[in-house]
Amino acid sequence: EDKVVQSPLSLVVHEGDTVTLNCSYEVTNFRSLLWYKQEKKAPTFLFMLTSSGIEKKSGRLSSILDKKELFSILNITATQTGDSAVYLCTSGTYKYIFGTGTRLKVLA
Amino acid sequence: DTAVSQTPKYLVTQMGNDKSIKCEQNLGHDTMYWYKQDSKKFLKIMFSYNNKELIINETVPNRFSPKSPDKAHLNLHINSLELGDSAVYFCASSQDFRGLGYEQYFGPGTRLTVT
C-alpha cells in the first residue's frame, strides 16, 4: 500500500532559525511529490518535484527530491512567525496520498 | 474571484440527517476531488472526477455519494449522518490527473459537526 511519512510531527523554533522538514514515500509508479502549506484554512501549493537532485526555490523556502532514497526535504531559512503552519507532503499514482503533516510553530 | 468555492462553510446537524455540500471551480480544470480532514489534520482522498467521470472512489461508506453535473461542479451528499462524519471536507481541483501530476487548488473547506 502506498505510504507517505513526514517527520517531525511538530516543531517549535524561534524567528531566524532554519528548519528542515522531511518526507519519505513508498509509492508504486511514482510520478511526483508535492508540498503544501496549510495555515488556518485550505492547503496552498508550494512545490512540485519530479526529478532527483534539482532544487526548487521560492524565497526562503526550498525543496529537493531524492528518488533513490525515496524522500524529499523542505527547508525554510530565516523563519518568520508567518511560516507557522502545517506543512503537508503528498505523492501518488493517480491519487494523492498525504502525509500526516509537520506542524511548525515559529516564536517571535 | 474565488477559484474553488464551497458551500456551506459550516454545517451543524444531528445524527441521522441527510446533508449536501456544494463545490464549484472557475479555473477551467478537468479534475475535481473531495477530501476529508480529521481533527489531527490528516487529509484523505474520498473521490475524484475527471470531466464528470468518476476516477477515484476510495473506501468510503456508501452513505457518501458524489455528483458532478458538469466539470466545474462536484457536490457531496451524505445520508444518515454519523458522529464519525464530523470533520472538515475539502473540495479541490487540478488541471488534469494524468502525466506527472498537477498541483491542486483547494476550496476553503466545510466544517461538518454531527451532534
Side-chain angles (χ1 to χ4, degrees), chain B residues 9-48:
Chain B
K9 288 198 166 59
Y10 299 94
L11 192 47
V12 180
T13 188
Q14 290 185 326
M15 278 174 59
N17 284 349
D18 304 338
K19 289 292 176 188
S20 291
I21 308 172
K22 295 188 174 185
C23 178
E24 177 182 0
Q25 54 96 1
N26 63 7
L27 297 165
H29 287 168
D30 284 347
T31 309
M32 294 185 74
Y33 310 82
W34 276 113
Y35 286 92
K36 179 180 180 181
Q37 188 171 49
D38 62 25
S39 55
K40 293 183 179 174
K41 292 282 196 181
F42 184 57
L43 203 57
K44 192 165 193 286
I45 191 159
M46 300 172 71
F47 302 102
S48 178

Side-chain angles (χ1 to χ4, degrees), chain A residues 31-32 34 36 38-43 45 48 50 86 88 93-96 98-100 103, chain B residues 33 35 37 40-43 45 55-56 58 90 97-104 106-108:
Chain A
R31 300 186 298 165
S32 54
L34 294 90
Y36 290 84
Q38 185 175 20
E39 294 174 88
K40 289 195 170 113
K41 295 209 168 172
F45 172 75
M48 179 166 133
T50 56
V86 175
L88 298 165
T93 52
Y94 62 93
K95 65 179 181 183
Y96 293 101
F98 279 80
T100 47
R103 187 179 294 272
Chain B
Y33 310 82
Y35 286 92
Q37 188 171 49
K40 293 183 179 174
K41 292 282 196 181
F42 184 57
L43 203 57
I45 191 159
I55 52 169
I56 295 171
E58 280 299 276
F90 284 102
F97 71 101
R98 288 168 283 222
L100 291 175
Y102 294 85
E103 67 184 90
Q104 294 181 30
F106 285 81

